[in-house]
Amino acid sequence: MTLRLWKPLACLALLAALAAGPSAPVTAGDGVSKHVTRRITLMTTQKAAMDVLTAMMAGRAVFDQGKARAARRQLIKSTSGIRKQFRKHRMDPRSHARPQIWTSWDDFEARAKSAEIAARALSTRSLPALRRTLPGLMQGCLSCHETYRRTPNSFTTH
């Protein structure tokens, strides 16, 4: 297998492993931090958009330019909100954020900005263009999660 094919397949495998966990519903009235609820909603929205694009990239779904564009728009919107949603140091039992976010804020902010830039660079004009540009965003997400996200327990993920 060539290196050209190996990198996207490795990224897909990592993303599939992250997406495999079950999701728990989150409601604002459950007595926990509304800031954390907003962060979870933001990340869940990003995950849903990434699922649409990775399914197309992997051939599990037919490439649909309209759906791909909508997912891209959602990713641009949500990645641009990462820094705002994490600005306040709020923790509750549902949060998977590591406290290092706030002690290494400049690095976290740079990674969030990189994800936003990668989301804006996504090309949804064709399947080959998507396959060429999506791995950059996937790597940006994984890089931040490896550093600033605790491994979720078996009951909740986001």
Side-chain angles (χ1 to χ4, degrees), residues 38-53:
R38 288 183 193 139
R39 291 191 328 227
I40 292 170
T41 300
L42 178 85
M43 292 296 160
T44 302
T45 300
Q46 287 179 345
K47 181 182 177 299
M50 288 294 284
D51 286 348
V52 168
L53 296 176

Side-chain angles (χ1 to χ4, degrees), residues 4-156:
R4 184 176 172 199
L5 291 175
W6 177 248
K7 186 176 179 181
L9 291 175
C11 287
L12 281 174
L14 285 171
L15 189 60
L18 288 173
S23 292
V26 176
T27 61
D30 57 8
V32 293
S33 171
K34 67 181 179 181
H35 299 285
V36 173
T37 299
R38 288 183 193 139
R39 291 191 328 227
I40 292 170
T41 300
L42 178 85
M43 292 296 160
T44 302
T45 300
Q46 287 179 345
K47 181 182 177 299
M50 288 294 284
D51 286 348
V52 168
L53 296 176
T54 56
M56 289 179 196
M57 183 174 142
R60 291 187 312 271
V62 174
F63 179 78
D64 180 310
Q65 190 177 40
K67 288 180 182 178
R69 282 183 180 162
R72 178 184 180 268
R73 280 192 302 271
Q74 185 57 53
L75 285 165
I76 291 169
K77 181 180 176 184
S78 59
T79 56
S80 69
I82 291 172
R83 290 169 287 172
K84 178 183 176 188
Q85 292 301 326
F86 281 88
R87 191 171 313 278
K88 293 185 180 188
H89 184 167
R90 301 279 198 261
M91 299 295 287
D92 76 27
R94 299 171 303 143
S95 179
H96 299 158
R98 289 183 174 159
Q100 289 85 349
I101 290 173
W102 298 280
T103 59
S104 302
W105 181 253
D106 290 341
D107 181 62
F108 177 80
E109 196 169 32
R111 289 174 195 245
K113 183 64 178 171
S114 292
E116 180 183 355
I117 290 168
R120 291 182 186 282
L122 279 175
S123 178
T124 56
R125 293 181 182 184
S126 67
L127 182 58
L130 179 64
R131 286 181 173 157
R132 189 176 54 254
T133 57
L134 188 58
L137 178 58
M138 293 166 67
Q139 182 55 45
C141 294
L142 290 172
S143 170
C144 197
H145 281 191
E146 288 172 349
T147 305
Y148 296 112
R149 181 179 189 231
R150 286 183 299 167
T151 302
N153 62 33
S154 62
F155 299 106
T156 60

